[in-house]
Amino acid sequence: MVAVASAVVALATAAGMVTALGDAGDGGDGRDADRARPRAAARASAPPPASSSPVSSPTVSRSASPSARARTPAPAVRTTAPSAAEGGQRRTAGLYVHPDSQVRDWLRAHPGDARRTVIESRVASRPAAVWFADYAPATITSRVRAVTSGAAARGRVPVLVPYAIPDRDCGGASGGGAPDLDAYGAWIDRFAAGLGSGEVVVVLEPDSIAQTDCLSEGRRAARFAALARAGRVLKAANPRTRVYYDAGHSHWHAPAHQAALLHRAGAGSAASAGIFSNVSNFRATADEIAYDRRVLDALRALGGRGDLGAVVDTSRNGNGPPADGQWCDPDGRRIGRAPTLATGEARVDAYLWVKLPGESDGCKGAPGTFSPSYAYELAR
């Protein structure tokens, strides 16, 4: 599977600001050696399905994402950036920066570190996604509400990542999640109860659609039904919630194949805002935009709505994928475009940092933990 995505909270920048940080040279053609997997690390892409979600700890909504290669539950998760348009119209609110994140913890604990200025200005000052990767039904509503209410109080849009689908990561390093689909449905109900009434972006279950080859046809159909239901529940709980579905990334499945999977999971329905790609991966932004548009076209041909959009994880794709396909904290990478709701690209609703730059895939630190040296390398 592909590398896992690491979600961390970065400070918010004004919505609408698109800052290209080393994105010009991100068009490499190397294929990722493995797919992203959820845990608390980063995610890289490989020729086969890529997985990219993080696992969050059972307490705080911190941003700990899965690791690039194998996903494993990690510390709690955090916040990302929202999507740009609803019903084809650009949003006006900015992205929310959740105050609880590993990078901000590190800044508070290291006031004199020489790397602090770069990390603070280029990583901690950007909004990142908030992951909920642990199966903790008793606390999920209050944890989600803490994020959404904090965002609403500031007039900002939070990005949330539910990551508790059963058989997550095909039992790999980021395995875990709810014990079964009935329990997952109840967990989603409780998650939805915390959404509030403000604008919210939900990146629903990274790798849950692209990474299903390990499931039997019956289990795959049951998962898709559960994801379709999840979208309906989230949208019904708060009509201002924009739910995006897993499209993998541009070097995983062919657009028509991915669209067929998305269609079965409800991604073309009234509950959907569109698709997301490149979570915890390194694919070039231009490649992802082209791929996402082809997926959206194919989804529409299957009966999906014509006003759906896409969001792209640009947290670590500034230099594109490594030529050798390395997925685990590869050297020579850079942060990509800053999170924003104003991409200037048709059908691209937002650039988001779903994986927090500096949260390790497991090679420069324990999976999902923040590595200041890695963050500095990505940001300088």
Side-chain angles (χ1 to χ4, degrees), residues 86 188-189 191-198 200 202 227-243 245 269-273:
E86 172 144 312
I188 282 290
D189 291 345
F191 186 103
L195 290 176
S197 58
V200 180
V202 173
L227 290 170
R229 177 190 180 275
R232 294 193 299 270
V233 168
L234 295 168
K235 189 70 173 178
N238 176 2
R240 300 181 73 191
T241 297
R242 297 181 58 77
V243 182
Y245 287 76
S269 71
S272 173

Side-chain angles (χ1 to χ4, degrees), residues 28-295:
D29 60 355
R31 299 188 65 170
D32 305 306
D34 204 315
R35 311 248 159 57
R37 318 191 169 189
R39 168 174 170 141
R43 148 196 209 155
S45 65
S51 146
S52 60
S53 332
V55 178
S56 94
S57 97
T59 51
V60 193
S61 292
R62 293 192 150 224
S63 81
S65 342
S67 112
R69 172 145 194 145
R71 308 184 172 192
T72 311
V77 262
R78 325 189 171 188
T79 340
T80 293
S83 128
E86 172 144 312
Q89 295 188 342
R90 198 171 294 287
R91 295 175 168 280
T92 55
L95 304 177
Y96 177 59
V97 177
H98 187 45
D100 181 24
S101 68
Q102 293 188 74
V103 64
R104 298 187 75 180
D105 290 346
W106 181 83
L107 289 172
R108 284 188 286 266
H110 299 83
D113 195 290
R115 300 164 295 185
R116 178 188 172 89
T117 299
V118 169
I119 292 174
E120 184 171 22
S121 64
R122 307 199 80 189
V123 177
S125 65
R126 316 270 189 213
V130 176
W131 293 72
F132 297 86
D134 57 309
Y135 178 68
T139 61
I140 189 62
T141 301
S142 60
R143 290 164 54 207
V144 171
R145 183 178 295 123
V147 178
T148 58
S149 61
R154 292 161 180 78
R156 297 279 169 166
V157 182
V159 177
L160 311 181
V161 184
Y163 189 60
I165 197 78
D167 298 313
R168 186 174 63 200
D169 196 31
C170 288
S174 291
D180 55 51
L181 288 175
D182 287 339
Y184 178 72
W187 184 85
I188 282 290
D189 291 345
R190 295 187 177 192
F191 186 103
L195 290 176
S197 58
E199 294 182 27
V200 180
V201 169
V202 173
V203 174
L204 180 62
E205 299 290 343
D207 300 330
S208 62
I209 297 175
Q211 187 183 18
T212 55
D213 290 346
C214 64
L215 303 177
S216 67
E217 176 52 35
R219 290 167 64 203
R220 187 181 300 119
R223 172 181 286 191
F224 290 159
L227 290 170
R229 177 190 180 275
R232 294 193 299 270
V233 168
L234 295 168
K235 189 70 173 178
N238 176 2
R240 300 181 73 191
T241 297
R242 297 181 58 77
V243 182
Y244 290 89
Y245 287 76
D246 170 41
H249 59 75
S250 59
H251 277 223
W252 198 340
H253 296 305
H257 177 71
Q258 186 62 40
L261 300 178
L262 285 159
H263 176 69
R264 294 178 62 187
S269 71
S272 173
I275 62 176
F276 63 84
S277 72
N278 206 44
V279 169
S280 202
N281 217 308
F282 302 90
R283 309 314 310 182
T285 301
D287 290 346
E288 291 306 298
I289 290 174
Y291 166 75
D292 289 343
R293 286 173 176 162
R294 289 194 293 270
V295 172

